[in-house]
Amino acid sequence: MDAGITLSGVHFGVQGKAILHGLDLSLREARIGIIGRNGSGKTTLLRVMAGLVTPMAGTVRVAGLDPAQDRKAMLGAIGILFQNPDHQIIFPTVEEELSFGLRQMGQSAPEAHAAVATLLEAEGRAHWAKALVSSLSQGQKQWLCLMAVLLMRPATLLLDEPFAALDLPTQSRLTRRLAGLPQRLITISHDPQAVMAADRVIWLEAGRVAADGPPAEVLPAFRAEMDRIGECDADTDLGH
């Protein structure tokens, strides 16, 4: 594994509302789960780690580099799989979508085309090359996004609720595929089931670390707290 991701005193907020509060994390394990309720700061943390947003205070280092300052280096360091593939896909055809990251990394059009053709052939999807992305199912779009990321050979994959929009058979297929990858996987979810196989689970609550350790320790505590909250009429107040 590479040097991983380090956050030191990371704060982030939007329009005066604090979302992350002084996070200190060293992420080096092969399989890491980050769990929490909606609004706990999970997706914001992912965006900070990927360099998509810059912390208001503190530092983020990915393999020793600032992800927000060196975007080209991050192409080979971090890949992201978002919950909704439609938020990630840019191009109209499968071939164009798969080629884009390779072109960004400096490959020529023929080189990228050859790499995409080799991938599609290996995946039994050579006939997909000219297919319109709009013709794909949700699960097929998620596969497309994953393959586009893997073509760039990142050391770490950030997975934002990767199973949320998929049916059970597709979830099962994606789970098997992810389990076999050599990359470090950091899976962000509100569902304990999604991170049960992780080496380490971090429970984020209101932008702070509520617990950090093996899933056998963190997940029962998380479930108990979610059950406690669920027994209360905690959603009567209007949001702010």
Side-chain angles (χ1 to χ4, degrees):
M1 279 291 173
D2 63 295
I5 302 174
T6 302
L7 293 86
S8 301
V10 168
H11 292 263
F12 186 81
V14 176
Q15 297 180 342
K17 179 182 178 181
I19 299 174
L20 302 177
H21 302 268
L23 292 183
D24 294 303
L25 292 169
S26 179
L27 306 175
R28 289 180 168 80
E29 292 82 1
R31 298 292 186 263
I32 300 170
I34 298 176
I35 197 163
R37 291 188 287 165
N38 292 340
S40 63
K42 304 186 303 300
T43 296
T44 298
L45 175 57
L46 177 146
R47 294 174 65 83
V48 167
M49 290 191 291
L52 300 178
V53 295
T54 303
M56 298 168 61
T59 61
V60 180
R61 295 293 180 266
V62 177
L65 301 173
D66 182 341
Q69 297 299 318
D70 199 340
R71 297 298 307 144
K72 188 169 183 179
M74 287 304 104
L75 293 174
I78 282 186
I80 307 173
L81 193 65
F82 289 106
Q83 176 178 344
N84 187 343
D86 290 324
H87 294 165
Q88 191 161 350
I89 292 169
I90 302 173
F91 292 94
T93 71
V94 168
E95 183 179 57
E96 290 173 301
E97 186 65 29
L98 290 173
S99 298
F100 177 66
L102 297 176
R103 296 301 310 278
Q104 292 289 102
M105 296 182 78
Q107 290 193 19
S108 67
E111 288 171 335
H113 178 82
V116 168
T118 298
L119 168 72
L120 290 173
E121 183 69 32
E123 294 282 326
R125 291 173 169 85
H127 59 293
W128 281 30
K130 304 299 183 183
L132 294 176
V133 172
S134 59
S135 70
L136 303 182
S137 70
Q138 193 77 357
Q140 290 169 332
K141 289 178 181 178
Q142 193 75 309
W143 175 91
L144 175 62
C145 291
L146 177 60
M147 292 302 105
V149 168
L150 291 179
L151 275 170
M152 293 184 282
R153 303 183 184 277
T156 298
L157 290 181
L158 304 178
L159 311 174
D160 186 13
E161 301 280 5
F163 308 109
L166 305 178
D167 60 23
L168 291 177
T170 308
Q171 286 183 30
S172 179
R173 287 194 291 271
L174 181 59
T175 297
R176 289 196 307 272
R177 188 58 180 265
L178 293 174
L181 294 177
Q183 282 88 354
R184 173 185 296 107
L185 302 184
I186 300 179
T187 303
I188 291 177
S189 183
H190 66 275
D191 180 6
Q193 189 70 28
V195 298
M196 284 184 64
D199 302 308
R200 172 186 178 189
V201 173
I202 299 163
W203 170 9
L204 207 62
E205 185 70 32
R208 294 182 171 88
V209 175
D212 183 352
E217 296 178 8
V218 175
L219 294 181
F222 174 78
R223 285 192 182 97
E225 178 62 9
M226 296 306 102
D227 287 343
R228 185 194 68 78
I229 293 171
E231 291 173 357
C232 305
D233 288 331
D235 62 348
T236 57
D237 292 333
L238 295 175
H240 298 287

